[in-house]
């Protein structure tokens, strides 16, 4: 039976796991308890493995990293954020970050699955068999996953700040990590995201400089603008010029812009004949 | 009392607690370490007292034991009152004297913190453990007390894990420390400035110290008082007039002076914030009238709590704990019943 599942079927199951994570966390919080770390991480890990399977089949079908349409970009971003959560987030001693990650991954994957137009056409071999270009694209998208997790920790920082300022400390606010811990992890995530994106742009630029004709100016400008905005945010934060809630809001707004840019960037690619109907 | 009652062996609790004995009475009943040893020796000589353990805390003096007759329990009371130079008839008016199932249930409640003045406090658990360890060491604990105490510890852990009876702090000083944890996480590298050398400030400073605060600096309008308190807290002292210029150096500022007006102005905090890194600033105003300009609370990355705020949180936590009492009592009653069934046959 499992062999009959399509890549989208796998991705639907993965999205449902993330949704279950979100619902279990919400149920725990509504009962006045904290989501169980073990349960939350178990659900996220199961969803992650299933999503990985779905992306693997999609990758096999398109002959490369599945980054050929908006659906795939959203799926890959959610997968990257979950990867990073499972690598570093689980050590964060807060099941709340797991709950937030499950919520984000469920939103991104379900949205991408519920809009059929985003996956109406697929492109095969979009990297022309060039492993470095594929590496550049995958790394760029992975940095978006890092920024997604950063948006989550920034949201948690805003919630913690709100609870302390408004003196509402009970209920689920009490499960949030401290302001300082959230700030520290946010700075680390920002540094990691900017570094990964820098490497991605550096690799990409080596090919653009050789073949300027192939460069899509709109995509280049937008990507560099997002990288510059994040780099500037990191620089201002490290110099203490952008701190606390203003820093958190900046991280959230930048991620919304970065996410919104995925669609236009993808559609700005030179037209290629759709090879696989959805 | 008939003969059969007099000769029946039974588990008992005899003592006085904060429920019936006011502080001045508990002071007279409190047993020093050396007196405890003497009392232990005297009780060991009672041939009809099979097992016993003495629980002596600031809120209770209680004898747990297995006696062969009711007369034995009366003898314990007599020996204790003699030693403490306390009138026996007065003790009879305030004493707690319960038997068998009720005694088991009482121990389980005490160990779980349900019988404490601050409901849900966990210090009592350690105190019972100590008294039991002492009884074991002196060989006054036998099969019945071993069973009952060990089950009491298990029950207390179960209650703590499965209910919210210990959640949230219920004293102003500990609420302040919890808030600091919500802002800074671990307190090991936090720097605390204590403004005012009064009792309330000292309590707060001690609470911070006990939870691992990095360093404490004391400043008072009377430098000698600041130095005295600093020495007691293993802290340093700062001249009062330098306080505002040094805000930048601290993460947590606790104010509890009797100054008639504000001693921390918004302009001083604003100035400090421009020179600080991204570290938040936590200001605790325990003074009446307030020591800190209330507008400071509106500044970014700055958290200001006054006495009313902290008291409200403590009260909220206390209510939350009280709302868990029924749940705890249900667990305790169930476990006490099982335990009593297992214990009865050993008597």
């Amino acid at each position: 039976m499992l062999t009959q599942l399509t890549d989208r079927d796998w991705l639907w199951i993965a999205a449902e796991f993330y949704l279950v994570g979100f619902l279990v966390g919400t149920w725990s919080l509504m009962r006045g308890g904290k989501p169980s770390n073990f349960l939350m991480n178990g659900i996220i890990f199961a969803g992650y493995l299933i999503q990985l399977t779905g992306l693997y089949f999609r990758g096999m079908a398109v002959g490369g990293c599945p980054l050929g349409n908006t659906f795939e970009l959203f799926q890959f971003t959610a997968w990257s954020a979950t990867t990073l959560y499972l690598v570093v987030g689980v050590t964060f001693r807060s099941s709340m970050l797991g709950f937030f990650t499950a919520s984000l991954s469920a939103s991104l994957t379900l949205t991408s699955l519920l809009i059929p137009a985003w996956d109406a056409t697929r492109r095969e071999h979009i990297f022309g068999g060039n492993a470095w270009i594929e590496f550049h694209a995958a790394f760029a998208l992975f940095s978006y996953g890092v920024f997604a997790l950063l948006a989550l920790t920034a949201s948690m920082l805003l919630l913690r700040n709100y609870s302390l300022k408004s003196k509402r400390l009970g209920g689920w606010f009490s499960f949030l990590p401290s302001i300082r811990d959230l700030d520290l992890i946010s700075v680390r995530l920002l540094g990691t995201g900017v570094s990964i994106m820098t490497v991605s742009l550096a690799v990409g630029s080596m090919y653009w400089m050789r073949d300027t004709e192939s460069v899509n100016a709109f995509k280049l400008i937008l990507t560099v603008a997002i990288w510059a905005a994040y780099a500037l945010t990191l620089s201002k934060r490290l110099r203490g010029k952008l701190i606390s809630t203003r820093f958190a809001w900046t991280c959230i707004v930048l991620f919304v812009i970065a996410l919104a840019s995925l669609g236009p960037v993808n559609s700005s690619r030179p037209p290629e004949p759709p090879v696989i109907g959805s | 009392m008939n003969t059969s009652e007099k000769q029946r062996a039974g588990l008992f609790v005899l003592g006085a607690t904060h429920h019936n004995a006011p502080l001045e009475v508990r002071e007279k009943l409190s047993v020093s370490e050396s007196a405890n040893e003497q009392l232990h020796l005297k009780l060991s000589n009672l041939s009809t007292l099979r097992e016993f353990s003495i629980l002596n805390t600031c809120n209770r003096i209680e004898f747990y034991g297995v006696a062969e007759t009711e007369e034995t329990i009366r003898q314990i009371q007599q020996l204790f009152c003699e030693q403490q130079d306390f009138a026996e008839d007065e003790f009879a008016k305030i004493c707690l004297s319960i038997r068998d199932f009720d005694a088991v249930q009482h121990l389980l409640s005490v160990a779980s913190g349900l019988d404490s003045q601050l409901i849900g406090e966990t210090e009592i658990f350690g105190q019972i453990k100590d008294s039991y360890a002492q009884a074991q060491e002196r060989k006054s604990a036998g099969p019945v007390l071993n069973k009952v105490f060990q089950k009491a510890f298990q029950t207390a852990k179960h209650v703590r894990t499965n209910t919210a009876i210990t959640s949230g702090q219920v004293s102003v000083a500990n609420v302040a420390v919890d808030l600091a944890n919500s802002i800074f996480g671990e307190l090991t590298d936090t720097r605390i400035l204590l403004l005012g050398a009064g009792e309330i400030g000292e309590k707060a400073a001690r609470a911070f110290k006990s939870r691992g605060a990095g360093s404490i600096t004391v400043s008072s309008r009377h430098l000698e008082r600041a130095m005295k308190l600093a020495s007691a807290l293993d802290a340093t002292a700062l001249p009062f007039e330098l306080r505002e210029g040094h805000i930048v150096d601290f993460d947590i500022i606790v104010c509890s002076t009797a100054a008639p007006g504000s001693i921390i102005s918004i302009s001083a905090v604003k100035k400090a914030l421009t020179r600080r890194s991204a570290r938040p600033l936590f200001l605790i105003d325990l003074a009446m009238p307030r020591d800190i300009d209330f507008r400071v609370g509106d500044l970014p990355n700055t958290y200001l709590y006054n006495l009313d705020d902290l008291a409200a949180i403590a009260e909220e936590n206390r209510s939350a704990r009280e709302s868990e009492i029924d749940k705890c009592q249900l667990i305790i009653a169930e476990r006490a019943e099982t335990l009593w069934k297992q214990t009865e046959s050993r008597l």
Side-chain angles (χ1 to χ4, degrees):
Chain A
M1 186 199 155
L2 286 178
T3 53
Q4 289 171 344
L5 294 177
T6 65
D7 51 18
R8 277 184 74 93
D9 291 336
W10 284 103
L11 295 172
W12 264 112
I13 299 169
E16 280 156 15
F17 264 88
Y18 293 139
L19 184 65
V20 167
F22 165 72
L23 293 174
V24 165
T26 308
W27 181 72
S28 303
L29 293 172
M30 284 175 74
R31 284 180 66 235
K34 191 175 169 183
S36 146
N37 256 331
F38 182 76
L39 184 64
M40 191 56 75
N41 289 335
I43 293 169
I44 293 173
F45 189 60
Y48 172 79
L49 289 179
I50 295 166
Q51 193 185 17
L52 185 63
T53 309
L55 288 173
Y56 169 75
F57 285 131
R58 176 59 68 103
M60 293 298 279
V62 298
C65 198
L67 301 170
N69 61 28
T70 309
F71 166 78
E72 290 168 5
L73 295 177
F74 266 61
Q75 285 285 339
F76 197 85
T77 303
W79 178 82
S80 305
T82 314
T83 304
L84 201 71
Y85 167 73
L86 290 171
V87 174
V88 297
V90 288
T91 62
F92 195 38
R93 286 193 302 164
S94 166
S95 54
M96 289 301 282
L97 186 58
F99 168 64
F100 276 67
T101 305
S103 313
L104 176 86
S105 297
S107 316
L108 291 177
T109 53
L110 285 172
T111 306
S112 68
L113 284 159
L114 288 168
I115 303 176
W118 284 4
D119 198 26
T121 55
R122 300 181 200 166
R123 296 157 197 263
E124 267 186 358
H125 306 292
I126 56 170
F127 306 111
N130 188 326
W132 282 104
I133 294 288
E134 193 168 359
F135 172 81
H136 148 75
F139 241 50
L141 251 290
F142 192 79
S143 70
Y144 277 42
V146 179
F147 295 139
L149 206 61
L150 168 62
L152 291 185
T153 55
S155 307
M156 289 166 80
L157 194 149
L158 287 178
L159 286 169
R160 182 42 114 183
N161 178 71
Y162 168 78
S163 90
L164 284 162
K165 284 280 191 188
S166 63
K167 287 149 189 160
R168 290 178 192 170
L169 301 146
W172 67 276
F173 284 125
S174 62
F175 306 135
L176 289 167
S178 72
I179 289 277
R180 199 158 150 243
D181 288 344
L182 286 166
D183 183 57
L184 280 176
I185 195 165
S186 298
V187 174
R188 284 178 196 159
L189 285 171
L190 180 56
T192 308
V194 169
S195 306
I196 293 173
M197 205 172 179
T198 306
V199 171
S200 161
L201 288 179
V203 170
S205 66
M206 289 193 291
Y207 289 88
W208 302 331
M209 282 187 282
R210 277 188 218 160
D211 180 13
T212 49
E213 290 294 306
S214 68
V215 178
N216 180 313
F218 177 72
K219 181 189 162 192
L220 181 65
I221 290 166
L222 204 58
T223 311
V224 170
I226 287 169
W227 170 81
Y230 272 114
L232 184 67
T233 304
L234 178 64
S235 155
K236 288 185 92 172
R237 170 60 189 81
L238 292 177
R239 286 182 290 127
K241 302 287 180 200
L242 185 67
I243 58 165
S244 185
T245 51
R246 285 202 300 150
F247 169 64
W249 275 117
T250 307
C251 293
I252 293 167
V253 169
L254 280 180
F255 177 66
V256 171
I257 294 170
L259 198 64
S261 75
L262 286 178
V265 164
N266 184 54
S267 59
S268 70
R269 280 182 172 144
E272 283 175 38
V275 288
I276 305 168
S278 174
Chain B
M1 199 178 288
N2 62 38
T3 318
S4 68
E5 269 182 328
K6 275 182 184 172
Q7 288 175 351
R8 193 177 71 79
L11 183 67
F12 71 89
V13 179
L14 174 73
T17 72
H18 62 94
H19 291 299
N20 292 326
L23 184 63
E24 58 274 18
V25 174
R26 296 204 305 277
E27 275 170 353
K28 288 179 191 165
L29 297 176
S30 177
V31 183
S32 68
E33 211 171 304
S34 58
N36 194 328
E37 211 161 311
Q38 284 172 25
L39 190 59
H40 211 280
L41 275 173
K42 287 178 193 167
L43 296 181
S44 302
N45 291 331
L46 291 176
S47 59
T48 50
L49 182 59
R50 286 194 206 161
E51 301 176 32
F52 69 92
S53 171
I54 306 168
L55 176 62
N56 178 37
T57 74
C58 53
N59 276 328
R60 65 183 70 237
I61 169 78
E62 286 179 341
F63 299 89
Y64 291 83
V66 180
E68 287 180 6
T69 63
E70 279 292 323
E71 178 57 24
T72 315
I73 300 167
R74 208 199 59 73
Q75 285 176 324
I76 296 169
Q77 182 173 318
Q78 192 185 2
L79 281 170
F80 173 63
C81 288
E82 265 175 29
Q83 176 169 300
Q84 297 301 116
D85 196 17
F86 196 87
E88 215 179 318
D89 54 339
E90 287 300 312
F91 184 78
K93 285 181 197 164
I94 53 150
C95 87
L96 164 84
S97 185
I98 48 177
R99 307 285 180 272
D100 300 334
F101 172 77
D102 292 340
V104 169
Q105 197 166 20
H106 176 76
L107 176 61
L108 267 52
S109 290
V110 175
S112 305
L114 283 194
D115 201 59
S116 299
Q117 225 168 9
L118 282 177
I119 289 169
E121 59 99 2
T122 51
E123 202 183 344
I124 187 68
F125 183 79
Q127 290 166 328
I128 297 178
K129 273 199 140 180
D130 289 345
S131 80
Y132 171 59
Q134 211 168 54
Q136 277 190 313
E137 201 181 303
R138 291 169 176 170
K139 303 202 185 317
S140 67
V144 175
L145 286 192
N146 285 340
K147 176 92 183 166
V148 170
F149 273 87
Q150 277 157 16
K151 287 286 172 190
F153 299 141
Q154 285 173 14
T155 304
K157 283 178 191 165
H158 182 81
V159 165
R160 278 208 308 248
T161 314
N162 293 285
T163 71
I165 196 71
T166 57
S167 67
Q169 296 294 344
V170 290
S171 78
V172 165
N174 282 326
V175 165
V177 180
D178 263 10
L179 281 167
N181 283 136
S182 301
I183 297 168
F184 299 99
E186 294 290 317
L187 299 178
T188 44
D189 63 345
T190 51
R191 299 154 298 176
I192 298 167
L193 173 62
L194 180 65
L195 290 174
E199 194 189 334
I200 189 164
E202 183 181 346
K203 271 187 184 167
R206 288 196 187 280
F208 274 109
K209 205 172 158 62
S210 71
R211 303 266 283 271
S215 69
I216 298 177
T217 302
V218 185
S219 183
S220 166
R221 288 179 296 171
H222 309 282
L223 187 60
E224 68 283 4
R225 286 179 65 185
M227 287 173 79
K228 196 177 161 192
L229 182 57
S231 152
L233 292 170
D234 195 19
T236 49
L238 177 79
F240 195 68
E241 55 279 13
L242 300 181
R243 67 193 183 280
E244 288 199 320
H246 280 265
I247 292 173
V248 66
D249 300 326
F250 297 97
D251 302 305
I252 300 168
I253 298 175
V254 184
C255 294
S256 61
T257 74
S262 162
I263 59 162
I264 297 276
S265 65
I266 188 164
S267 57
V269 177
K270 270 184 181 170
K271 198 173 163 190
L273 287 177
T274 59
R275 290 162 55 209
R276 282 173 71 83
S277 59
R279 283 175 80 91
L281 180 63
F282 180 30
L283 298 115
I284 305 160
D285 192 346
L286 302 173
M288 194 59 66
R290 285 178 288 183
D291 275 346
I292 304 171
D293 186 328
F294 69 93
R295 291 171 300 170
V296 164
D298 297 329
L299 297 174
N301 218 16
T302 303
Y303 305 93
L304 170 65
Y305 280 73
N306 63 35
L307 196 55
D308 279 3
D309 298 328
L310 298 176
I313 297 167
E315 187 49 44
E316 203 179 299
N317 292 341
R318 196 172 293 126
S319 304
R321 284 187 180 191
E322 278 168 8
S323 69
E324 288 289 291
I325 290 177
D326 287 348
K327 201 172 162 186
C328 298
Q329 278 172 341
L330 214 67
I331 296 172
I332 287 169
E334 205 175 280
R335 294 209 167 202
E337 210 174 298
T338 313
L339 178 57
W340 176 240
K341 279 179 192 159
Q342 294 167 355
T343 313
E344 209 177 0
S345 57
R346 298 182 187 211
L347 291 168

